[in-house]
Amino acid sequence: MDRIRIVGGNALNGIIPISGAKNAALPLMIASLLTSDTLTLENVPHLADVEGLIRILGNHGVDIAVNGRREHQDGSYSRTVHFTCRTVADTTAPYELVSKMRASFWVIGPLLAREGQARVSLPGGCAIGTRPVDLFIEGLTALGAEMEIDGGYINAKAPKGGLIGARYTFPKVSVGATHVMLMAASLARGTTVIGNAAREPEVVDLANCLNAMGAKISGAGTSTITIEGVTSLSGARHRVLPDRIETGTYAMAVAMTGGDVTLSGTDISLLDTAIEAIRRAGAEVSAVDGGIRVIGHGDAIRPVDIVTEPFPGFPTDLQAQFMGLMTRANGISHVTETIFENRFMHVQELARLGAKITLSGQTARIEGVTRLRGAPVMATDLRASVSLVIGGLAAEGETMVSRVYHLDRGFERLEEKLTRCGAIVERISD
Ligand code: EPZ
């Protein structure tokens, strides 16, 4: 199993190219199930989760052609992938595949809309909370589907003639359930109005792609989304939006180590709340042509309290990284997690680097320390593991991060991107 070895203490200087967003690419890829034409996605990141979903889509009958990567001057790659689902080969998504990645559960929306039925295993995914599927069941039921749980699977059946547009308001904001409703309602008869929809940029990206395929969706990015159903969707070409979580992660890394880095191919407006928090912590962040410039001052980190919330609030997917940054602040900060009840697995690992963190319910109290010291640590989930990398970059001596397959799910060429900016980071394959 691979490990990552970090020797901390170096400032980061240079350019880090930001990849396409994993959490946009996954629903966009799933949208290819809605049409018999080819959906071409540009800027698809090369990540374990994307490769996993490629296998899952193949099982449903999607032909996939990957165009080789092309290197640009700033070190970035672009990867274009063509998805063609002439006919759906299988409307069952089996446990062996869905249990590895929660997002693969989302195939339930397009399968139900296009084929009138789906049998999808209840999902797995990161161990960050219970993550139920009640909102998917309620939402699809509102569109007329019959939903039944049987033997660990959801059996979903559309009414004769297909799903029917409806008004449905989510009792709680869910990114995944919003994605699924957008896809399902696009092929429903009549108009669907979704209330309390997720406003994440990835939802907007999916809506834009579906509209390019012929859907009629308005209001994405606000809490109320209206979808006028159409009888069929066609192919399209769409560019996956930049990864705001990767952007925020590297911005926090620079704030932590000090240095001057341009994050290229990204957009500051995707993460206003996180940028505000990083600025309050003392780093200088500005929009530059084609990206963001971050100047960090290392030792002069100020304590900042944050609370995770659905977009446009502070993202839960940056909570662990921000806590990593706060471990070296000049004072006490608080990090409150409101989205997932169990997303604090990084706390005990950061403590191995010398961080002083105490947990009380959903809030962590972080007492900044002047130095972290390298140690062996273990990655526990995707974002938790990158917080350990950030900690390791600022720690004195060597940090060895094991179980890096978590990192590979969501960070493309992490060690290469950091090394190009002067960090000492290497992958050790045993
Ligand atoms: C998406 O997960 C992301 N995943 C997550 O990123 C992210 O943390 C999360 O949104 C919140 O921003 C992808 O986009 C692939 P939710 P999702 O449904 O859609 C509860 C990462 O590290 N809920 O918005 O699964 C749920 O338990 C990952 O990249 C229900 O109660 O998240 C949670 O408390 C991890 N019932 C809250 O809603 C449901 O039926 C928000 O979850 C569905 C969700």
Side-chain angles (χ1 to χ4, degrees):
M1 231 183 277
D2 288 3
R3 290 175 295 160
I4 285 189
R5 176 176 172 270
I6 303 163
V7 180
N10 288 6
L12 295 169
N13 286 292
I15 300 175
I16 298 182
I18 298 302
S19 301
K22 167 181 85 81
N23 288 350
L26 299 178
L28 290 167
M29 291 165 66
I30 290 172
S32 68
L33 287 168
L34 287 163
T35 174
S36 55
D37 294 342
T38 299
L39 175 64
T40 297
L41 297 177
E42 298 170 3
N43 201 30
V44 177
H46 190 253
L47 297 168
D49 271 11
V50 168
E51 304 315 301
L53 186 57
I54 283 179
R55 280 192 292 281
I56 288 166
L57 292 175
N59 185 53
H60 294 298
V62 183
D63 276 334
I64 291 148
V66 182
N67 274 10
R69 301 146 154 214
R70 196 155 34 88
E71 193 160 1
H72 299 281
Q73 253 182 351
D74 64 0
S76 62
Y77 292 104
S78 56
R79 206 165 72 120
T80 298
V81 187
H82 309 277
F83 300 86
T84 313
C85 186
R86 295 262 175 262
T87 51
V88 173
D90 195 343
T91 54
T92 297
Y95 173 74
E96 305 78 69
L97 298 180
V98 181
S99 58
K100 295 203 179 89
M101 193 201 322
R102 181 174 167 92
S104 59
F105 177 78
W106 302 345
V107 299
I108 195 167
L111 290 177
L112 191 55
R114 180 165 164 188
E115 297 297 303
Q117 59 177 27
R119 179 171 158 77
V120 180
S121 168
L122 291 166
C126 276
I128 56 178
T130 49
R131 304 183 83 182
V133 292
D134 53 322
L135 303 175
F136 296 82
I137 295 177
E138 270 189 26
L140 293 172
T141 304
L143 299 183
E146 272 176 41
M147 309 287 289
E148 174 200 77
I149 298 186
D150 173 36
Y153 279 76
I154 293 196
N155 293 325
K157 207 163 182 271
K160 245 199 175 125
L163 296 170
I164 307 159
R167 278 184 174 271
Y168 175 72
T169 297
F170 284 112
K172 178 175 185 177
V173 177
S174 163
V175 175
T178 303
H179 285 321
V180 163
M181 287 296 276
L182 287 189
M183 291 191 270
S186 288
L187 287 181
R189 285 173 287 153
T191 303
T192 299
V193 180
I194 306 173
N196 202 21
R199 289 181 280 166
E200 269 66 2
E202 293 75 19
V203 170
V204 179
D205 207 34
L206 176 64
N208 288 343
C209 178
L210 291 170
N211 283 341
M213 293 165 72
K216 292 187 176 159
I217 302 173
S218 57
T222 74
S223 297
T224 306
I225 304 181
T226 304
I227 306 129
E228 280 175 50
V230 295
T231 48
S232 66
L233 294 171
S234 58
R237 192 177 184 95
H238 180 84
R239 185 172 173 82
V240 178
L241 97 168
D243 196 317
R244 65 193 165 99
I245 304 303
E246 189 193 25
T247 304
T249 300
Y250 288 125
M252 289 173 196
V254 179
M256 180 83 158
T257 60
D260 184 348
V261 170
T262 297
L263 305 171
S264 64
T266 188
D267 181 349
I268 202 162
S269 68
L270 293 171
L271 67 165
D272 286 340
T273 313
I275 294 290
E276 190 48 39
I278 297 168
R279 282 186 179 135
R280 280 169 55 213
E284 294 166 51
V285 189
S286 53
V288 293
D289 194 22
I292 301 177
R293 182 173 176 199
V294 186
I295 301 174
H297 300 291
D299 285 343
I301 300 165
R302 290 195 291 263
V304 177
D305 292 349
I306 56 130
V307 178
T308 64
E309 281 167 347
F311 192 86
F314 190 98
T316 173
D317 289 348
L318 284 172
Q319 180 258 105
Q321 298 89 314
F322 198 74
M323 194 186 297
L325 174 61
M326 288 298 103
T327 60
R328 290 203 55 234
N330 304 326
I332 292 166
S333 59
H334 298 89
V335 167
T336 304
E337 172 61 52
T338 71
I339 310 288
F340 294 111
E341 74 273 19
N342 191 24
R343 208 170 197 183
F344 281 130
M345 277 98 68
H346 42 286
V347 167
Q348 60 189 31
E349 297 301 306
L350 286 170
R352 296 176 58 75
L353 299 176
K356 286 192 182 164
I357 308 172
T358 46
L359 272 180
S360 164
Q362 295 299 94
T363 298
R365 176 184 183 276
I366 305 119
E367 191 183 329
V369 294
T370 46
R371 332 191 259 189
L372 297 175
R373 280 181 201 275
V377 289
M378 195 181 283
T380 47
D381 77 53
L382 168 55
R383 311 304 176 184
S385 49
V386 84
S387 78
L388 302 174
V389 173
I390 291 180
L393 289 173
E396 288 173 6
E398 180 182 294
T399 295
M400 188 73 84
V401 184
S402 56
R403 297 201 182 165
V404 296
Y405 54 84
H406 288 292
L407 274 177
D408 294 336
R409 291 186 47 209
F411 288 91
E412 190 178 36
R413 298 179 296 114
L414 172 115
E415 57 279 24
E416 181 195 318
K417 291 184 184 188
L418 288 170
T419 305
R420 285 173 71 112
C421 287
I424 302 175
V425 181
E426 62 174 338
R427 179 179 291 254
I428 300 173
S429 300
D430 294 329

